[in-house]
């Protein structure tokens, strides 16, 4: 997300939250009142999104002064202070919820990602995200995955070909879908990797026979089926496991030799990291 895109996102979010005014603060806090607040960590995890907080405070009120005490990617524990902010109280209160919403969500994603990465750290598998993200927050959520030690799959529909079951079914089959895709890329001068989803070993064989795939996704395969598929594919293209993968079984899949393990839950089934912004 570029600086301009981030600024635009934050301004829209502030407008969504504020409407015609933060009447709670306007009613109870004098406009001239100043104060300080600190971001208190209340749960163990990985810090993510701290770089966004000063931007939120600045766009809310350029006179607010922010000091970052813990950088993104650092392990945090209850009682840690991640940042302090000083200035007009009305402005601090207006920015408070947006800061927390973004940082809690991003830190939760980074923390979860780090747990998966730890499980497979001595294997060749790399933990990757999916497009199952919150509309408008994709870039930030995928940034949080990277902070947690994972990698990004594709940012959207535009930067990689992903032929899933619906694509191949509508196209008339896997072989036809791949052939049409290769022709499309050639005609349009596009250099995009092609990933094809397989639902069983028969489809893996068909993808290999069709040729042209850079990666085969093994969707909802059992661990034994995954091991067999990886052996069948060899070094002819990349392999990716997806579907039904949890912290309890991710290592089993990694030990099959797959190169990538994609986990939608990283960004769509989130436990936000607990933190709060408190006056001091």
């Amino acid at each position: 997300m570029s600086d301009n895109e981030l600024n635009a996102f934050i301004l829209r979010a502030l407008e969504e939250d504020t409407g015609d005014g933060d009447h709670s603060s306007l009613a109870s806090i004098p406009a001239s009142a100043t104060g300080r607040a600190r971001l208190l960590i209340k749960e163990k995890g990985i810090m993510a999104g701290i770089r966004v907080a000063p931007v939120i405070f600045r766009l809310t009120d350029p006179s607010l002064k922010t000091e970052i005490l813990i950088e993104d990617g650092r392990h945090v524990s209850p009682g840690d202070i991640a940042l302090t902010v000083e200035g007009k109280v009305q402005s601090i209160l207006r920015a408070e919820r947006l800061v927390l919403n973004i940082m809690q969500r991003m830190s939760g994603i980074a923390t979860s990602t780090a747990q998966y990465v730890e499980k497979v750290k001595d294997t060749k598998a790399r933990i990757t995200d999916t497009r199952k993200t919150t509309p408008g927050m994709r870039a930030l959520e995928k940034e949080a995955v990277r902070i947690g030690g994972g990698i990004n799959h594709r940012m959207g529909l535009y930067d990689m070909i992903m032929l899933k079951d619906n694509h191949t079914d509508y196209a008339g089959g896997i072989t036809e879908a791949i052939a049409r895709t290769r022709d499309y890329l050639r005609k349009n001068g596009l250099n995009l990797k092609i990933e094809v989803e397989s639902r069983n070993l028969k489809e893996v064989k068909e993808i290999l026979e069709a040729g042209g795939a850079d990666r085969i996704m093994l969707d909802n395969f059992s661990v034994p089926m995954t091991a067999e598929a990886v052996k069948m594919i060899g070094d002819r293209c990349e392999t990716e496991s997806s579907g039904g993968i949890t912290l309890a079984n991710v290592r089993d899949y990694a030990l099959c030799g797959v190169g990538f393990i994609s986990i939608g839950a990283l960004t769509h089934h989130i436990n936000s990291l607990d933190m709060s912004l408190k006056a001091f």
Side-chain angles (χ1 to χ4, degrees), residues 70 93 119 146 148 168 198 236-237 258 270 275:
I70 300 176
L93 292 174
K119 288 282 189 179
R146 296 193 303 272
T168 56
S198 61
R236 284 184 278 182
C237 63
V258 292
I270 299 165
M275 57 184 74

Side-chain angles (χ1 to χ4, degrees), residues 240-272:
E240 176 184 331
S241 286
S242 184
I245 297 172
T246 67
L247 278 173
N249 64 20
V250 66
R251 183 169 178 80
D252 295 332
Y253 281 93
L255 290 173
C256 291
V258 292
F260 302 90
I261 300 177
S262 56
I263 302 169
L266 294 179
T267 53
H268 81 78
H269 190 69
I270 299 165
N271 291 316
S272 294

Side-chain angles (χ1 to χ4, degrees), residues 113-161:
T113 302
Q115 292 169 347
Y116 278 95
V117 170
E118 177 66 21
K119 288 282 189 179
V120 304
K121 66 180 181 181
D122 58 345
T123 72
K124 65 178 288 187
R126 303 191 70 184
I127 300 299
T128 183
D129 53 25
T130 70
R131 285 171 49 241
K132 297 176 182 177
T133 55
T134 307
M137 282 197 66
R138 177 170 296 178
L140 292 177
E141 291 181 350
K142 283 180 170 283
E143 178 180 332
V145 169
R146 296 193 303 272
I147 291 171
I151 62 171
N152 298 145
H153 194 277
R154 52 177 179 161
M155 288 303 295
L157 296 170
Y158 54 86
D159 58 344
M160 183 178 181
I161 298 289

Side-chain angles (χ1 to χ4, degrees), residues 169-182:
D169 288 345
Y170 279 128
I174 287 173
T175 301
E176 182 67 19
I178 294 174
R180 289 181 180 179
T181 297
R182 296 176 69 181

Side-chain angles (χ1 to χ4, degrees), residues 168-169 174 197-208:
T168 56
D169 288 345
I174 287 173
E197 178 185 275
S198 61
R199 293 167 285 194
N200 50 58
L201 292 171
K202 180 181 177 181
E203 290 188 346
V204 170
K205 182 179 179 182
E206 184 176 355
I207 295 167
L208 291 172

